[in-house]
Amino acid sequence: MIKEVPPAAEMQEGTVPRHHQLIVTLFGLYARTPGAGIQVATIIRLLQDAGVGPAGVRSSISRLKKRGVLESVTVQGRSGYALSSGMQDTFREGDERIFHPRRAGIEDPWLLATFTVPESQRNIRHKIRSSLVRMGFGSVTPGLWIAPGHLRPSVLSYFENRGMGQYLEFFLADHVGSSDMRANVAQWWDLPALELQYAEFIRLQQPLLERWLDGGQPVADRMARAFVDHLLLLTEWRRLPYLDPGLPVELLSKDWNALEAHDLFSRLHSVLGPLAEEHATAVIDDVP
């Protein structure tokens, strides 16, 4: 029997991630084998420790199924869900960006993007712009976008897999002008907003690391508590490496806090990950 732990909202200050985001993290961590599913009852059982009720789980699962993220499967004779086959590549690409974010060198090339969309398809134009931002591009002009060149493989795959590749053209380029690139990147990206998000992550997660390193967690519910903390940690963190394109450190402020945030995430992940996996595996294997 898994000992109940306090709801996530009481455990960490700040806003609890949306239910569907937690479910995506859950499947990304523990159900990555193609066709491997988790019973609905098991998902509910795991998410209730994070303060999500059965109704919220079912509603979010339905939404993720409509979006093509999850698909219905049968798990030992009972209804369940698995990651759709089309999501496997997306999650593999996400692993690199989330767990091994790369930072460009000052001499590395830049990836330029431009797109043309017919006036009758404004919705696609908006989707492309929001996707470029999500993939870490900065806006040079309304029609020209820029990102570090090392993002090329993931960017090309992202747009092709979503049927938008036909509208875009990409180029690799070097900066050869006399303009100040440090001033340029400050204009092309909203770096203060990104720094604030990293600062908030550090503010919330540093005390959590200290509690775990100090051994302040009760032994009785240690694994269950680690599972909740790890699920929330990864859900909060995984969006930041996408917003951060990995600009060269030479073009950033000396107190750029992304490096501190990544170190904090890595340390927490190493502490919580094994305990969280042990708890999740126990619950998933404990099927009727």
Side-chain angles (χ1 to χ4, degrees), residues 86-154:
M87 293 300 297
Q88 296 296 332
D89 288 342
T90 299
F91 274 76
R92 278 193 292 271
E93 292 167 5
D95 286 345
E96 286 300 311
R97 197 133 180 181
I98 293 168
F99 296 106
H100 309 288
R102 179 178 167 185
R103 192 154 296 280
I106 192 65
E107 300 295 334
D108 291 348
W110 295 91
L111 180 64
L112 304 180
T114 183
F115 61 91
T116 303
V117 179
E119 187 66 24
S120 60
Q121 297 178 302
R122 291 186 179 181
N123 60 319
I124 294 180
R125 187 181 305 166
H126 173 74
K127 188 175 181 180
I128 290 175
R129 285 174 178 159
S130 61
S131 295
L132 285 167
V133 172
R134 182 184 184 276
M135 294 301 290
F137 278 80
S139 178
V140 179
T141 68
L144 182 63
W145 297 73
I146 187 169
H150 69 258
L151 296 180
R152 173 185 174 185
S154 60

Side-chain angles (χ1 to χ4, degrees), residues 5-280:
V5 297
E10 298 177 11
M11 295 175 59
Q12 283 185 226
E13 183 184 356
T15 303
V16 176
R18 294 180 180 180
H19 300 167
H20 74 275
Q21 295 172 327
L22 294 171
I23 293 173
V24 169
T25 301
L26 176 70
F27 275 85
L29 285 169
Y30 309 115
R32 290 286 290 278
T33 303
I38 306 178
Q39 287 188 7
V40 175
T42 302
I43 300 172
I44 291 173
R45 185 176 171 188
L46 286 167
L47 269 293
Q48 87 175 11
D49 281 345
V52 184
V57 170
R58 294 183 186 278
S59 173
S60 297
I61 287 176
S62 177
R63 192 179 316 141
L64 290 169
K65 183 180 178 182
K66 289 179 180 178
R67 288 170 47 189
V69 177
L70 300 179
E71 58 186 17
S72 300
V73 294
T74 300
V75 183
Q76 297 197 6
R78 300 201 174 194
S79 62
Y81 287 87
L83 283 174
S84 62
S85 57
M87 293 300 297
Q88 296 296 332
D89 288 342
T90 299
F91 274 76
R92 278 193 292 271
E93 292 167 5
D95 286 345
E96 286 300 311
R97 197 133 180 181
I98 293 168
F99 296 106
H100 309 288
R102 179 178 167 185
R103 192 154 296 280
I106 192 65
E107 300 295 334
D108 291 348
W110 295 91
L111 180 64
L112 304 180
T114 183
F115 61 91
T116 303
V117 179
E119 187 66 24
S120 60
Q121 297 178 302
R122 291 186 179 181
N123 60 319
I124 294 180
R125 187 181 305 166
H126 173 74
K127 188 175 181 180
I128 290 175
R129 285 174 178 159
S130 61
S131 295
L132 285 167
V133 172
R134 182 184 184 276
M135 294 301 290
F137 278 80
S139 178
V140 179
T141 68
L144 182 63
W145 297 73
I146 187 169
H150 69 258
L151 296 180
R152 173 185 174 185
S154 60
V155 166
L156 295 181
S157 175
Y158 179 91
F159 284 102
E160 287 297 331
N161 290 341
R162 287 160 180 78
M164 293 184 281
Q166 59 183 310
Y167 301 104
L168 291 114
E169 294 289 348
F170 295 98
F171 305 88
L172 282 177
D174 295 321
H175 178 251
V176 295
S178 59
S179 62
D180 183 355
M181 280 297 289
R182 186 167 182 171
N184 288 341
V185 300
Q187 181 179 355
W188 297 338
W189 281 272
D190 189 354
L191 297 180
L194 186 55
E195 282 190 293
L196 283 175
Q197 293 191 62
Y198 276 126
E200 182 68 2
F201 179 86
I202 294 169
R203 184 182 73 84
L204 292 176
Q205 303 299 338
Q206 185 63 48
L208 180 65
L209 177 62
E210 292 170 1
R211 288 200 300 272
W212 278 96
L213 293 181
D214 290 344
Q217 303 295 352
V219 176
D221 60 357
R222 186 176 178 81
M223 289 191 300
R225 193 177 294 269
F227 169 79
V228 173
D229 286 346
H230 189 243
L231 191 71
L232 289 169
L233 168 74
L234 193 52
T235 303
E236 287 293 337
W237 171 258
R238 62 185 173 87
R239 60 190 174 85
L240 290 173
Y242 280 92
L243 297 175
D244 183 351
L247 297 168
V249 292
E250 294 88 345
L251 303 180
L252 301 168
S253 62
K254 293 183 179 179
D255 57 350
W256 180 246
N257 55 6
L259 304 180
E260 179 184 352
H262 180 254
D263 179 67
L264 175 58
F265 167 75
S266 297
R267 294 178 68 190
L268 269 168
H269 176 59
S270 65
V271 170
L272 298 174
L275 292 171
E277 183 175 5
E278 189 172 349
H279 171 77

